[in-house]
């Protein structure tokens, strides 16, 4: 049992079960190839990817420009580490700074690492600029947040499953309700160095805050000399109909965290961006990453941003969102409680007494549409931004059929 070609689907799944940690609960489909919005399983069945790796594959699978940027760079120079300069890293940073209006960038690999970077920057800035007493700095975060899986980050999660028996946790975080600007103002103390928040809570269930929220929290943060740090790992890079979701309301935050789509769907690339006076707290030796900012990551990141502009992903995202929302609402399914989201990041909330979101995803899989639930009752739709109108129409038909079948089987 060593050659994958001799294993059937059940055997492949069983082998993962035997040799991997069980920290995921995948849908029972074994993928082997991807092209654009489509992926294929080992039996040759074709599926529309309506998750795009939680927004990491906005450019679609196997995008020729991403692949070319990656391969060209690998052939020249791979991972020299940051012990040396490379030609391309400055270009990547310049591009991200120009795009976001930030002064400086610090490259990492995964989203969680970029969040950790933001936490370190905020605390040091708090001590050195805001003159907070040693070890007293606090960061305000929101209930329902998702910022990654490190022990520091799950330590301030409000989700019991993310935390249980992983303590002791780092202190210095205060939880407030999401979408409530007055709760922020009330929670700020002289020790508060930053407010870390997602413009839309993705893993939290595609939770969109009230209109004006970001503008309000920006004003509050400015008044209290607190850094507003936005985690746009999932919402950024055109997913919600703007290059960054915050552009619906504010010109720029004090700190910005990017990941997922920055890697073009092929490589882990993340970054923390901020003002010069904040980033200045890092000196040689204070932070780093062996792979962070390597030339392959930089080449892919540059191309992912170029592609986003050349193919007008933000406009596409808005159109996708309109077509999907309209189509889902028109279904008038008694199972659907709510459709919410922005651009091509949409949550379909199912009535808990009707079905579990997982059941919907399993049914959609049998129809050739791949989605993933988030929590018990929300199905997340986040297709690649290169999807066409007719592909969306096809997806809507599968969703209509799946909901109808589930509704029928249950009455
Ligand atoms: C996915 C995600 C992260 C974590 O990114 P990883 O690359 O999985 O570490 C952090 N914040 C948000 C908002 C995310 O969606």
């Amino acid at each position: 049992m060593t050659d994958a070609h001799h294993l059937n689907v059940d055997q492949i799944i069983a082998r993962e079960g035997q040799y991997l940690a069980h920290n995921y609960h995948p849908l029972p489909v074994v993928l082997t190839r991807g092209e654009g919005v489509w992926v294929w399983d080992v039996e040759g069945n074709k599926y529309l990817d309506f998750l795009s790796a939680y927004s990491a594959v906005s450019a679609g699978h196997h995008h020729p420009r991403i692949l070319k940027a990656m391969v060209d760079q690998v052939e020249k120079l791979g991972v020299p580490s940051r012990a040396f300069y490379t030609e391309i890293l400055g270009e990547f940073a310049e591009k991200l700074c120009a795009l976001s209006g930030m002064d400086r960038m610090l490259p990492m690999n995964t989203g969680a690492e970029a969040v950790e970077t933001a936490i370190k920057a905020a605390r040091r800035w708090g001590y050195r600029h805001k003159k907070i007493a040693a070890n007293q700095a606090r960061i305000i975060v929101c209930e329902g947040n998702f910022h990654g899986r490190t022990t520091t980050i799950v330590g301030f999660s409000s989700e019991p499953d993310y935390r249980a028996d992983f303590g002791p946790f780092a202190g210095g975080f205060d939880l407030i309700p999401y979408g409530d600007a007055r709760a922020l103002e009330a929670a700020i103390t002289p020790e508060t160095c930053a407010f870390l928040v997602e413009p839309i809570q993705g893993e939290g269930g595609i939770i969109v805050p009230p209109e004006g929220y970001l503008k309000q929290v920006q004003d509050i943060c400015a008044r209290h000399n607190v850094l507003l740090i936005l985690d746009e790992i999932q919402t950024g890079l055109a997913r919600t109909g703007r290059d960054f979701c915050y552009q619906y309301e504010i010109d720029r935050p004090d700190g910005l965290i990017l990941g997922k789509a920055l890697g073009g769907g092929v490589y882990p690339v993340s970054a923390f961006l901020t003002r010069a006076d904040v980033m200045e707290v890092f000196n040689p030796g204070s932070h780093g990453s062996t792979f962070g900012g390597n030339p392959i990551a930089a080449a892919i990141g540059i191309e992912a941003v170029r592609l986003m502009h050349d193919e007008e992903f933000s406009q596409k995202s808005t159109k996708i969102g309109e077509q999907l929302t309209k189509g889902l609402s028109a279904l008038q399914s008694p199972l659907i409680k709510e459709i919410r989201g922005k651009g091509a990041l949409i949550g379909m909330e199912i009535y808990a007494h009707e079905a579990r979101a997982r059941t919907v995803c399993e049914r959609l899989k049998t129809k050739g549409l791949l989605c993933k639930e988030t929590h018990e009752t929300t199905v997340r739709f986040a297709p690649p931004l290169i999807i066409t109108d007719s592909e969306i129409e096809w997806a809507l038909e599968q969703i209509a059929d799946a909901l109808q079948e589930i509704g029928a089987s249950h009455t």
Side-chain angles (χ1 to χ4, degrees):
M1 292 244 307
T2 50
D3 187 347
H5 297 291
H6 296 136
L7 302 186
N8 65 32
V9 168
D10 290 341
Q11 289 168 323
I12 293 169
I13 291 175
R15 182 169 63 177
E16 280 213 7
Q18 184 174 348
Y19 292 108
L20 275 103
H22 297 178
N23 58 329
Y24 276 92
H25 181 30
L27 286 177
V29 54
V30 180
L31 300 178
T32 184
R33 188 163 77 83
E35 185 78 48
V37 298
W38 301 96
V39 288
W40 284 261
D41 71 12
V42 288
E43 292 172 321
N45 301 305
K46 182 180 169 186
Y47 303 85
L48 183 57
D49 182 355
F50 232 49
L51 174 69
S52 32
Y54 310 92
S55 300
V57 185
S58 285
H61 295 276
H62 204 257
H63 196 292
R65 280 181 53 180
I66 298 284
L67 292 195
K68 182 167 191 319
M70 180 175 189
V71 171
D72 285 354
Q73 183 57 53
V74 173
E75 285 178 346
K76 271 204 295 194
L77 177 64
V79 181
S81 90
R82 301 254 340 250
F84 314 105
Y85 288 92
T86 57
E87 233 179 332
I88 197 171
L89 180 56
E91 183 187 343
F92 181 35
E94 184 179 24
K95 204 162 185 64
L96 279 191
C97 287
L99 182 70
S100 61
M102 299 283 144
D103 302 322
R104 303 265 193 281
M105 174 265 233
L106 197 159
M108 298 297 278
N109 312 284
T110 65
E113 289 173 314
V115 172
E116 290 277 352
T117 304
I119 291 168
K120 286 167 101 173
R123 286 178 174 166
R124 251 199 190 179
W125 175 87
Y127 299 123
R128 297 185 178 181
H129 289 256
K130 203 175 168 175
K131 307 295 178 202
I132 297 170
N135 287 316
Q136 299 302 306
R138 305 194 68 81
I139 296 174
I140 297 174
V141 295
C142 289
E143 286 162 13
N145 73 69
F146 183 82
H147 298 288
R149 298 292 198 166
T150 65
T151 50
T152 294
I153 293 171
V154 298
F156 61 80
S157 169
S158 56
E159 193 59 40
D161 277 352
Y162 298 170
R163 297 166 51 91
D165 293 331
F166 294 134
F169 297 118
F173 295 95
D174 298 305
L175 271 174
I176 60 167
Y178 184 62
D180 181 348
R182 291 167 74 178
L184 173 65
E185 182 124 48
I188 291 174
T189 71
E191 282 71 47
T192 306
C193 61
F195 176 44
L196 170 65
V197 65
E198 302 154 84
I200 292 174
Q201 288 187 332
E203 302 308 302
I206 325 291
I207 310 295
V208 184
E211 228 182 284
Y213 178 63
L214 278 191
K215 183 76 197 108
Q216 287 170 336
V217 299
Q218 183 186 49
D219 291 344
I220 293 166
C221 286
R223 240 185 299 123
H224 294 273
N225 195 24
V226 166
L227 299 176
L228 172 61
I229 300 177
L230 297 184
D231 180 345
E232 290 240 22
I233 291 170
Q234 186 157 163
T235 53
L237 302 173
R239 173 53 54 186
T240 69
R242 295 276 197 278
D243 288 354
F244 304 110
C245 190
Y246 68 74
Q247 291 168 329
Y248 281 101
E249 295 194 3
I250 63 174
D251 54 349
R252 78 189 67 150
D254 301 305
L256 176 65
I257 308 167
L258 301 177
K260 293 201 166 102
L262 194 56
V266 293
Y267 203 81
V269 185
S270 69
F272 171 60
L273 293 126
T274 186
R275 306 191 307 247
D277 67 298
V278 179
M279 201 66 99
E280 174 198 279
V281 301
F282 289 116
N283 56 314
S286 59
H287 194 48
S289 161
T290 305
F291 284 84
N294 76 67
I296 306 166
I300 291 165
I302 290 168
E303 198 60 16
V305 171
R306 280 202 193 119
L307 198 62
M308 174 179 88
H309 283 148
D310 293 350
E311 301 200 0
E312 301 185 324
F313 280 172
S314 290
Q315 290 93 315
K316 287 233 176 84
S317 175
T318 300
K319 284 208 198 110
I320 293 167
E322 284 167 4
Q323 191 184 347
L324 259 180
T325 310
K326 202 167 140 215
L328 291 169
S329 308
L331 298 183
Q332 300 210 326
S333 166
L335 275 67
I336 300 179
K337 185 176 175 194
E338 190 184 27
I339 309 292
R340 54 175 183 257
K342 235 178 199 155
L345 181 61
I346 292 183
M348 178 174 81
E349 173 101 25
I350 304 292
Y351 278 111
H353 59 270
E354 292 285 358
R356 288 171 60 238
R358 171 90 186 180
T359 311
V360 176
C361 293
E362 283 167 355
R363 182 66 62 127
L364 286 171
K365 184 222 119 188
T366 67
K367 301 190 168 300
L369 189 66
L370 294 185
C371 303
K372 190 80 172 82
E373 75 279 4
T374 168
H375 297 284
E376 283 284 295
T377 51
T378 308
V379 182
R380 165 185 10 216
F381 299 131
L385 301 178
I386 56 163
I387 195 168
T388 63
D389 294 1
S390 54
E391 286 160 346
I392 295 172
E393 264 337 290
W394 182 84
L396 283 166
E397 285 163 24
Q398 310 320 309
I399 296 166
D401 289 352
L403 292 178
Q404 203 145 38
E405 287 168 19
I406 293 168
S409 71
H410 162 270
T411 41

